[in-house]
């Protein structure tokens, strides 16, 4: 039984760490699913895929910063290799552009047929991911709260203003 405000705060923080971890995992899994659909769905005949682009997406374990609990989805460039003769783009190439260079090339398709990128146009995995997050983040958060004993009666619009 919770006896005071400090115990209540500790209980809520512990539960919310679990909730945010679950939400981050769900969203990362959705991002990987969209990468499969958008990036790897076309047939290639000229190189062997490593799937390192898909495998490089991760999320951080939630941390508490003051009154905020946060987790981040990010791309771990360090796991990708750059082997131009095998058409592997890797971290060396993406680092030459900017932090999100490889992702931007794939999502937007603006580079054309050069630097080991075939001319297949945009593969908007990130655009579709943003649309999914914007449409579903409130529902996912509420579902995860409910699964973890933080029953919510408010609507998504009252929680995410």
């Amino acid at each position: 039984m919770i006896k005071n405000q400090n115990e209540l705060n500790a209980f809520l923080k512990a539960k919310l760490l679990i909730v945010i971890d679950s939400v981050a995992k769900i969203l990362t899994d959705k991002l990987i699913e969209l990468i499969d659909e958008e990036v790897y769905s076309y047939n290639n005949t000229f190189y062997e895929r490593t799937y390192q682009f898909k495998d490089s997406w991760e999320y951080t374990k939630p941390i508490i910063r003051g009154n905020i609990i946060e987790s981040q989805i990010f791309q771990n460039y360090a796991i990708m290799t750059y082997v131009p003769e095998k058409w592997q783009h890797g971290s060396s190439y993406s680092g030459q552009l900017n932090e999100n260079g490889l992702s931007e090339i794939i999502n937007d398709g603006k580079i054309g047929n050069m630097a080991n990128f075939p001319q297949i146009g945009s593969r908007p995995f990130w655009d579709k991911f943003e649309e999914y997050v914007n449409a579903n983040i409130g529902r996912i958060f509420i579902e995860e709260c409910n699964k973890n004993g933080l029953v919510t009666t408010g609507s998504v619009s009252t929680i995410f203003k």
Side-chain angles (χ1 to χ4, degrees):
M1 174 172 268
I2 296 172
K3 298 175 185 157
N4 58 47
Q5 186 67 40
N6 288 339
E7 287 181 6
L8 176 61
N9 289 342
F11 171 80
L12 290 173
K13 282 182 181 179
K15 288 289 189 176
L16 286 170
L17 283 168
I18 295 167
V19 167
I20 299 301
D21 188 68
S22 295
V23 170
K25 180 176 181 355
I26 289 166
L27 293 178
T28 302
D29 290 348
K30 182 63 177 183
L31 176 59
I32 290 168
E33 176 187 317
L34 289 168
I35 290 171
D36 271 336
E37 291 172 8
E38 295 296 324
V39 178
Y40 294 114
S41 62
Y42 74 95
N43 293 325
N44 82 72
T45 57
F46 51 91
Y47 69 97
E48 180 181 334
R49 288 189 166 144
T50 65
Y51 297 93
Q52 290 177 351
F53 180 74
K54 175 180 79 170
D55 295 340
S56 66
W57 292 91
E58 303 175 10
Y59 70 94
T60 61
K61 289 295 179 187
I63 58 170
I64 300 171
R65 293 184 194 268
N67 290 329
I68 297 172
I69 299 175
E70 68 181 21
S71 175
Q72 297 178 351
I73 296 173
F74 68 98
Q75 189 175 20
N76 181 357
Y77 295 112
I79 73 161
M80 296 189 296
T81 56
Y82 178 60
V83 184
E85 53 278 358
K86 291 185 176 182
W87 289 69
Q88 294 172 358
H89 315 300
S91 57
S92 295
Y93 183 76
S94 55
Q96 292 171 13
L97 298 170
N98 65 43
E99 184 179 275
N100 298 313
L102 183 58
S103 297
E104 289 173 359
I105 290 168
I106 292 170
N107 187 72
D108 300 338
K110 291 182 180 174
I111 199 162
N113 192 18
M114 59 182 270
N116 291 343
F117 292 91
Q119 183 66 36
I120 61 171
S122 67
R123 293 161 282 168
F125 74 96
W126 191 260
D127 294 344
K128 290 187 177 186
F129 178 65
E130 283 184 341
E131 288 173 19
Y132 176 83
V133 170
N134 289 336
N136 294 286
I137 186 71
R139 177 189 53 78
I140 294 168
F141 179 76
I142 288 172
E143 287 173 359
E144 293 306 306
C145 283
N146 290 336
K147 286 180 191 175
N148 287 281
L150 299 175
V151 178
T152 59
T153 57
S155 68
V156 172
S157 61
T158 60
I159 293 174
F160 291 92
K161 289 185 179 180

